Amino acid sequence: MHTVLILLSSLATCWSVPRCSPEEAAMGRCRTPAENRPQCMEMVLGYCQDVPYSHTMFPNIVGHRSRQDLEMGAEYLLLSVIHGLLNGECSPDIRLLGCSVLAPRCRDNKLMKPCRSSCEMVKKSCIHAFEAIQMAWPYFLDCDRFFVGEEEGCYDPLSELREKQEVAFANISDSGFFTIIQFTYHTNSQMFSILKKTASKCSDISQTYSIGRSVEGKDLLAIEFSSNPGQHDLLEPEIKLIGNMHGNEVLGRQLLIYLAQYLCSEYLLGNERIQTIINTTRIHILPSMNPDGYEIAASEVADRNDPENINQEGHEYNGWTSGRANAQNLDLNRNFPDLTSIFYNRRRFRHFRSHHIPVPESYWLNKVVAPETYAVMKWIRSYPFVISASLHGGELVISYPFDFSRHPQEERMFSPTPDEQIFRQLARTYADAHATMSNNDTERCGASFANKGGITNGAQWYSFAGGMSDFNYLHSNCYEITVELGCDKFPSEEELYPEWLRNKEALLSFMEFVHRGIRGIVKDEHGNGIKGATISVRGMRHDITTAVDGDYWRLLNPGVHIVTAAASGYSKVSKRIHLPRNVQVGRVDFVLKKVLREPSLDYFNIPELDNYDRFDPFNQFEQSSPRVRGEDGEERTEKPWWWAYFSQLGVSAPTWLLRNY
């Protein structure tokens, strides 16, 4: 009892001292006795020694009442490890900004708040780094809550850092928009961070988004470039570039990371060619379709470089295949629906179409579908892609559809699509712009492409079913080529910059190819765009369809063409067009009138042809897994890897850093 009385007496003494909120202290309205009022004190915090002031004050802006209180908190611990958590990104920006809140500037015994503009600038350029490690933006860096405007007498905690950066920038470039591309390999987390940082830097023309997740839960992160990111602009063609479909074929992954940085930087620097590409084209880049396989391949290379590894030759051999498949051991380029066989089997039908062939139900019943494959299939169906390139390794050649032989017993049989000439031109565009690919004397990797100029029909090279390029062509409007970048699937870092130089012009020329042929809008009599109308070209048994607003893009070589637009319930309209060689893209619009017409019996007697919109009929990927809950009924979620930094040191758990808490 005596002890309790003493404790109560002590508490009474503490309670008798008037206290004030941090906000009152900052405004000078604290009504404590003069000897108990907060005073400016010398800055002695180890991680805040380089702030542009020497005195601070407690209580600080978030309520820590002493230096000891602050140093024991999770907020200060975060500042001490932030450099390692973010792989050096946004350091020391984040740390200095955090210090301005946790150890704010003190002048004339008054607490000063940092400027909101400084906080907003750092958050805009650095939030991607937190998202890359699945960490929430720290609460004590809330720009609206703990920072003030210049009219309230704020200060810039990054002033000295900015001055140093400006001097460094001036010695490198006349503009602050340059990007120094690091020609090194990037881990998955580093790749995510670079893409999000690039999108943040070029937020007016770029954004990142996820098309799905891998088997092990990694984001399939894409970056988009457009004059209006996030939206489809009428008559603006869309293209996609995909890398790392096979996890151990890594050069394409790196080239696409560099390409994203290059497009952003050059656009800001005023490069007219890059600005024209981005202002007239919507570009989607998926550097890694198989991030799980990449980690396996990268670990294999690390083992090969281990000086204690005596089986060097074995690792060299395994490096050719290790990581090729996804985490389910599925080859993603054999995992798509085999629509090519359907095309071959049904060519006898008079009105059979070779476009937008639906996915048969047997695919979902008889095949293990990888989540990466499913995500790309949904992606293809969600955007009006016109052209695409999938970047691989193991040879030096451009391969184009069909990849599956028209005769199943023939391993190497020329198997052209109805758009053979268009595909040849598309492949030639990349190969001819590449530094060495089209040279007949270039050293190859085993296959013979003499006199072919670095391009080949896929099935004539070797035949396989379930490929992504065939699926693009037969299920959508998209024309996809496969770019084999070289013999070495995992080249040394010294080769990354030379490979970038060999492929940069080819990548740009490929993107520019989309502005070939004709484009236009199919409307009804009231001026409304007609979705799903078919655009047919006489003599080419492959149609394309209009997008949501009725716009379309049809790749065509120069010459005279008879083009027809048709839609269910409307009359057909045909036009004879002349596409000159000196005109890249022509504008051809159609207006269709409503009519009553009986459908062709031949068309609707073909099994499964009306099932295009019934994608994933068994809903096996859309179903969400049940949430796991603990004994207390609360949802249990797996903590991210960085949680151990805080949970093992006995500090109060910073649940405010959990994004989904």
Side-chain angles (χ1 to χ4, degrees):
M1 180 65 70
H2 182 66
T3 304
V4 173
L5 289 177
I6 294 176
L7 176 60
L8 291 176
S9 175
S10 300
L11 289 174
T13 303
C14 291
W15 290 339
S16 66
V17 178
R19 295 191 178 188
C20 57
S21 68
E23 289 77 8
E24 291 174 326
M27 300 175 65
R29 296 178 178 173
C30 195
R31 293 291 183 260
T32 57
E35 64 275 10
N36 291 326
R37 288 177 185 168
Q39 304 286 321
C40 289
M41 62 180 64
E42 189 174 351
M43 172 70 71
V44 292
L45 293 167
Y47 292 106
C48 298
Q49 284 300 305
D50 50 349
V51 294
Y53 51 88
S54 58
H55 289 80
T56 186
M57 172 184 282
F58 290 97
N60 62 15
I61 296 175
V62 295
H64 295 120
R65 307 198 66 82
S66 67
R67 189 191 75 177
Q68 292 76 15
D69 188 13
L70 167 61
E71 290 178 336
M72 291 298 294
E75 297 88 346
Y76 188 66
L77 174 59
L78 176 63
L79 296 187
S80 70
V81 298
I82 198 68
H83 181 87
L85 291 178
L86 302 184
N87 290 315
E89 281 201 67
C90 298
S91 178
D93 307 56
I94 292 291
R95 181 172 52 77
L96 293 177
L97 197 69
C99 287
S100 70
V101 174
L102 303 180
R105 184 175 185 174
C106 183
R107 187 170 63 188
D108 299 331
N109 289 330
K110 292 182 180 179
L111 181 149
M112 298 181 65
K113 285 191 174 182
C115 293
R116 185 180 297 116
S117 58
S118 300
C119 177
E120 291 172 344
M121 179 193 69
V122 173
K123 183 175 182 179
K124 180 179 179 181
S125 61
C126 295
I127 193 170
H128 72 278
F130 286 84
E131 292 175 347
I133 62 171
Q134 299 182 340
M135 180 181 283
W137 185 253
Y139 84 92
F140 62 91
L141 299 183
D142 186 326
C143 300
D144 294 324
R145 184 178 174 189
F146 299 116
F147 298 78
V148 297
E150 295 180 3
E151 68 278 1
E152 299 178 64
C154 68
Y155 70 96
D156 181 4
L158 307 178
S159 58
E160 291 186 358
L161 177 63
R162 281 209 193 99
E163 291 175 1
K164 294 178 181 178
Q165 290 176 339
E166 288 174 0
V167 172
F169 290 169
N171 292 332
I172 301 176
S173 171
D174 293 333
S175 171
F177 293 128
F178 68 90
T179 294
I180 299 177
I181 299 177
Q182 293 184 335
F183 292 95
T184 59
Y185 283 111
H186 299 94
T187 65
N188 286 323
S189 62
Q190 290 170 341
M191 175 183 67
F192 298 152
S193 183
I194 288 175
L195 295 181
K196 291 182 178 181
K197 183 177 182 179
T198 300
S200 176
K201 178 180 178 181
C202 289
S203 57
D204 290 339
I205 59 165
S206 182
Q207 69 166 11
T208 57
Y209 64 95
S210 174
I211 69 168
R213 289 186 178 275
S214 68
V215 174
E216 296 180 347
K218 300 179 184 68
D219 266 328
L220 303 179
L221 191 69
I223 185 168
E224 168 198 341
F225 290 91
S226 168
S227 57
N228 190 16
Q231 297 185 29
H232 169 69
D233 287 340
L234 194 67
L235 291 174
E236 183 175 85
E238 305 203 21
I239 69 176
K240 59 183 169 72
L241 301 167
I242 300 175
N244 206 202
M245 184 183 198
H246 292 140
N248 64 332
E249 297 171 9
V250 301
L251 179 57
R253 165 188 168 114
Q254 291 302 135
L255 292 180
L256 294 184
I257 294 173
Y258 306 151
L259 178 64
Q261 296 175 281
Y262 177 81
L263 291 176
C264 170
S265 179
E266 292 298 305
Y267 188 97
L268 295 178
L269 286 169
N271 184 319
E272 292 185 5
R273 183 185 186 189
I274 301 304
Q275 289 183 339
T276 299
I277 291 175
I278 292 177
N279 290 337
T280 60
T281 318
R282 192 179 182 194
I283 305 160
H284 304 255
I285 300 174
L286 178 68
S288 182
M289 182 179 167
N290 188 2
D292 298 344
Y294 173 80
E295 289 191 343
I296 296 173
S299 65
E300 186 77 31
V301 172
D303 289 343
R304 193 165 69 233
N305 293 331
D306 185 351
E308 297 183 2
N309 173 29
I310 59 174
N311 189 18
Q312 297 288 335
E313 184 177 352
H315 278 271
E316 288 284 355
Y317 175 78
N318 291 337
W320 188 257
T321 58
S322 295
R324 174 184 175 89
N326 75 341
Q328 295 168 291
N329 200 31
L330 295 174
D331 187 328
L332 299 181
N333 208 26
R334 309 292 189 275
N335 196 238
F336 284 82
D338 175 17
L339 304 184
T340 322
S341 294
I342 297 175
F343 168 77
Y344 290 147
N345 291 336
R346 296 182 180 171
R347 284 178 296 178
R348 67 183 183 274
F349 290 98
R350 179 183 177 188
H351 295 288
F352 173 62
R353 62 186 181 188
S354 65
H355 68 93
H356 292 79
I357 299 177
V359 177
E361 288 191 359
S362 59
Y363 172 74
W364 305 106
L365 291 171
N366 302 328
K367 200 174 188 73
V368 177
V369 183
E372 298 92 344
T373 306
Y374 182 83
V376 170
M377 290 167 66
K378 291 280 285 186
W379 193 34
I380 292 169
R381 292 171 60 94
S382 301
Y383 295 87
F385 295 122
V386 181
I387 61 174
S388 172
S390 177
L391 276 55
H392 290 247
E395 248 304 344
L396 186 63
V397 71
I398 305 295
S399 169
Y400 59 87
F402 285 124
D403 282 323
F404 189 44
S405 173
R406 58 182 174 176
H407 194 293
Q409 303 304 318
E410 290 289 340
E411 287 287 327
R412 301 174 185 270
M413 185 177 188
F414 178 57
S415 304
T417 68
D419 282 287
E420 165 69 11
Q421 295 306 315
I422 294 296
F423 271 116
R424 285 183 63 85
Q425 286 295 321
L426 186 59
R428 287 241 63 87
T429 296
Y430 195 105
D432 290 347
H434 187 277
T436 59
M437 189 175 290
S438 63
N439 298 342
N440 290 331
D441 58 349
T442 299
E443 182 181 351
R444 305 291 172 173
C445 320
S448 175
F449 299 108
N451 302 320
K452 291 187 177 181
I455 70 172
T456 184
N457 171 259
Q460 193 171 23
W461 181 14
Y462 66 94
S463 173
F464 66 92
M468 184 166 67
S469 293
D470 284 11
F471 176 81
N472 271 273
Y473 182 68
L474 294 173
H475 191 70
S476 74
N477 293 332
C478 189
Y479 293 60
E480 181 173 274
I481 61 172
T482 300
V483 180
E484 298 284 346
L485 292 164
C487 307
D488 195 345
K489 294 187 176 187
F490 210 129
S492 64
E493 285 194 337
E494 290 76 12
E495 284 297 311
L496 294 179
Y497 179 61
E499 287 292 351
W500 165 248
L501 295 181
R502 294 185 190 108
N503 285 276
K504 181 179 72 171
E505 177 58 33
L507 289 166
L508 298 180
S509 297
F510 175 82
M511 291 190 286
E512 291 170 329
F513 185 91
V514 76
H515 299 282
R516 302 272 187 100
I518 60 173
R519 65 178 180 177
I521 306 174
V522 180
K523 300 179 181 180
D524 62 19
E525 296 172 281
H526 304 289
N528 302 312
I530 301 175
K531 175 187 176 182
T534 59
I535 304 297
S536 307
V537 180
R538 183 177 296 178
M540 302 177 70
R541 202 174 178 186
H542 184 81
D543 302 340
I544 56 97
T545 58
T546 55
V548 174
D549 298 320
D551 48 346
Y552 75 91
W553 306 262
R554 196 2 167 147
L555 298 177
L556 286 175
N557 287 327
V560 177
H561 304 279
I562 306 298
V563 184
T564 300
S568 179
Y570 293 88
S571 61
K572 286 185 179 180
V573 174
S574 297
K575 294 185 178 183
R576 183 179 186 273
I577 66 165
H578 175 238
L579 191 62
R581 290 191 174 276
N582 60 344
V583 175
Q584 279 200 321
V585 61
R587 175 77 179 267
V588 183
D589 294 336
F590 295 90
V591 177
L592 307 186
K593 296 181 180 180
K594 278 275 190 181
V595 296
L596 293 176
R597 188 196 323 160
E598 293 295 326
S600 167
L601 293 179
D602 286 339
Y603 184 89
F604 286 103
N605 280 339
I606 302 174
E608 300 177 353
L609 203 55
D610 59 339
N611 293 342
Y612 184 83
D613 291 330
R614 292 188 61 221
F615 184 70
D616 190 11
F618 304 106
N619 201 31
Q620 61 186 58
F621 279 92
E622 298 294 345
Q623 296 173 352
S624 58
S625 57
R627 297 182 182 275
V628 180
R629 297 186 179 276
E631 296 180 358
D632 55 1
E634 292 186 0
E635 184 179 334
R636 296 173 60 186
T637 58
E638 184 179 351
K639 296 295 190 298
W641 60 268
W642 46 261
W643 188 253
Y645 276 88
F646 303 94
S647 60
Q648 295 178 357
L649 296 180
V651 300
S652 57
T655 53
W656 36 269
L657 283 176
L658 298 175
R659 294 182 63 183
N660 299 318
Y661 183 76

